[in-house]
Amino acid sequence: MRSFTVTKNDAGKRLDSFITKTAPLLPKNLLYKYIRLKRIKLNGKKSEISARLKENDVVDMYINDEFFEKKEYTYSFTKAPKQLNIVYEDENIMLLDKKAGVLSHPDNGEYVDTLITRVQRYLYEKGEYDPEKENSFAPALANRIDRNTGGIVIAAKNAQALKILNEKIKNREFRKMYLCVVVGYLKKKSGILESYMLKNEKKNRVFVYDHPVEGAKTAKTGYKVLAESNGLSLLEVELFTGRTHQIRAHMASIGHPLLGDGKYGTNAVNKKYGGYKKQFLYSYKLDFDFKTDSGILSNLNGKSFTVDDVWFKTAFLNGEL
């Protein structure tokens, strides 16, 4: 028998979700069977699988050791680089300036060196994250940015902060501003682009339409031209919706693709300006604009955070592109 005490980070989880995290090798059919047979108990009693856990609840599991993963005391994230660009940090969240070229999360090609593994190493070495004391929670990113795009990413240090952030992002209670360089000069120096976007999963590409299409979602992008030089324009862009590749696809759809964008741009044009392998796009500003209760994150409401060190901004303004 193994006994688990519910921590603050696990409070609010369903019982079946908690069991799946703590005994990941236990098949679903056995999970439900063991709850029925009272081989899994909540506070010493039989419980419904949908029961919501509270801090200090005790979950007893009378199941074989083979269903539990063996504890690893050497964690892969400790091999991640220490390099982190911290814009802001408190006891609940971190705002990170992710540089272009860094993955947000592990993928099939890279597991160790990602933004989240760097965060986990940082918090582990600070003593704010101990995997041995957590039943299921690990520090997590609330939003993500493509590998070849830089900008502000939010990391949650605890489950309560992550839950609030996820809700706020869903309800669009943040204002996100981007800087980008596009090819050509825009006739209208400011405006709002509205269209319909349909993502092709196989091609990982978005197609833009000016009329409703089955499966397509509305997309709304605001922009303002900040400067023009050498056949290029520096723009400030605001997202009013959050579609995949929204800025890249929207700007390309009006004939002004992002410089360095190999997917929506033109290789010949990109080569002319130096053959950059990353798009000139940066999520440089984040405003907290909470409309509803924000709990432990209420101190952030109304605050604004900006990254000044945008790799292409100075070069553009100095006429070096």
Side-chain angles (χ1 to χ4, degrees):
M1 188 271 285
R2 295 198 188 187
S3 184
F4 298 88
T5 300
V6 176
T7 65
K8 184 177 181 179
N9 282 328
D10 292 317
K13 286 186 179 295
R14 282 172 50 120
L15 177 60
D16 53 351
S17 176
F18 179 85
I19 296 168
T20 299
K21 289 286 188 179
T22 52
L25 304 182
L26 180 66
K28 286 286 187 182
N29 61 324
L30 284 182
L31 185 157
Y32 300 132
K33 179 179 180 181
Y34 287 169
I35 290 177
R36 288 198 310 272
L37 296 177
K38 293 192 288 188
R39 290 181 61 174
I40 297 176
K41 298 180 180 180
L42 176 59
N43 296 323
K45 301 177 181 179
K46 182 179 179 180
S47 177
E48 297 295 326
I49 60 173
S50 59
R52 294 286 177 179
L53 301 178
K54 299 177 182 177
E55 188 175 359
N56 295 320
D57 277 350
V58 176
V59 179
D60 297 320
M61 302 187 194
Y62 297 83
I63 64 178
N64 296 341
D65 288 340
E66 67 192 70
F67 297 125
F68 297 95
E69 284 184 328
K70 293 182 178 179
K71 284 272 187 180
E72 291 186 11
Y73 296 99
T74 301
Y75 301 102
S76 59
F77 61 74
T78 61
K79 299 178 182 178
K82 290 186 176 183
Q83 179 63 34
L84 271 181
N85 298 286
I86 301 173
V87 178
Y88 170 82
E89 180 180 6
D90 62 23
E91 68 274 17
N92 296 307
I93 74 163
M94 298 175 69
L95 299 183
L96 306 153
D97 176 14
K98 186 193 84 68
K99 301 302 182 181
V102 177
L103 280 169
S104 293
H105 295 99
D107 66 6
N108 292 332
E110 178 58 66
Y111 184 78
V112 175
D113 184 11
T114 68
L115 185 63
I116 187 56
T117 52
R118 292 185 188 191
V119 168
Q120 289 172 351
R121 175 176 181 172
Y122 170 79
L123 294 176
Y124 178 72
E125 292 180 351
K126 276 188 71 180
E128 293 189 34
Y129 169 51
D130 186 350
E132 294 178 39
K133 294 181 180 179
E134 296 289 350
N135 292 315
S136 61
F137 179 80
L141 304 182
N143 65 315
R144 60 180 297 166
I145 294 178
D146 291 342
R147 182 173 197 157
N148 290 326
T149 302
I152 299 175
V153 176
I154 314 171
K157 291 185 176 183
N158 55 65
Q160 189 176 0
L162 182 60
K163 181 179 179 182
I164 294 171
L165 287 170
N166 286 339
E167 186 68 21
K168 298 303 180 185
I169 290 172
K170 178 182 177 182
N171 293 333
R172 305 204 63 78
E173 295 182 47
F174 292 93
R175 186 172 184 236
K176 294 189 288 184
M177 306 296 290
Y178 292 74
L179 290 178
C180 67
V181 174
V182 301
V183 177
Y185 299 151
L186 285 74
K187 291 182 179 180
K188 292 183 62 176
K189 303 309 177 185
S190 65
I192 295 178
L193 306 177
E194 295 186 72
S195 61
Y196 300 87
M197 292 190 176
L198 180 65
K199 183 179 180 181
N200 184 307
E201 295 288 350
K202 289 184 179 180
K203 295 182 179 181
N204 189 30
R205 185 184 178 95
V206 171
F207 294 89
V208 181
Y209 300 90
D210 60 4
H211 57 275
V213 173
E214 184 178 358
K217 297 180 179 180
T218 57
K220 186 176 179 181
T221 307
Y223 73 89
K224 178 173 67 174
V225 176
L226 301 179
E228 298 174 332
S229 176
N230 194 27
L232 302 171
S233 299
L234 176 67
L235 273 58
E236 181 182 62
V237 178
E238 180 175 4
L239 288 181
F240 297 104
T241 53
R243 309 305 176 206
T244 301
H245 300 169
Q246 180 172 321
I247 296 174
R248 297 165 64 187
H250 240 164
M251 298 314 301
S253 73
I254 62 169
H256 297 284
L258 270 61
L259 183 61
D261 192 340
K263 185 181 291 289
Y264 297 96
T266 304
N267 288 332
V269 174
N270 291 334
K271 187 176 181 179
K272 173 185 174 182
Y273 287 97
Y276 289 93
K277 300 296 184 182
K278 52 188 177 183
Q279 56 265 9
F280 283 53
L281 179 64
Y282 219 93
S283 177
Y284 87 108
K285 186 177 181 181
L286 178 68
D287 296 340
F288 289 82
D289 187 23
F290 299 150
K291 307 298 184 186
T292 55
D293 180 55
S294 50
I296 61 173
L297 303 186
S298 59
N299 64 300
L300 294 168
N301 197 22
K303 291 187 177 181
S304 178
F305 299 90
T306 303
V307 173
D308 295 319
D309 183 23
V310 177
W311 66 275
F312 55 81
K313 179 182 177 182
T314 301
F316 186 96
L317 295 177
N318 289 341
E320 298 171 358
L321 292 182

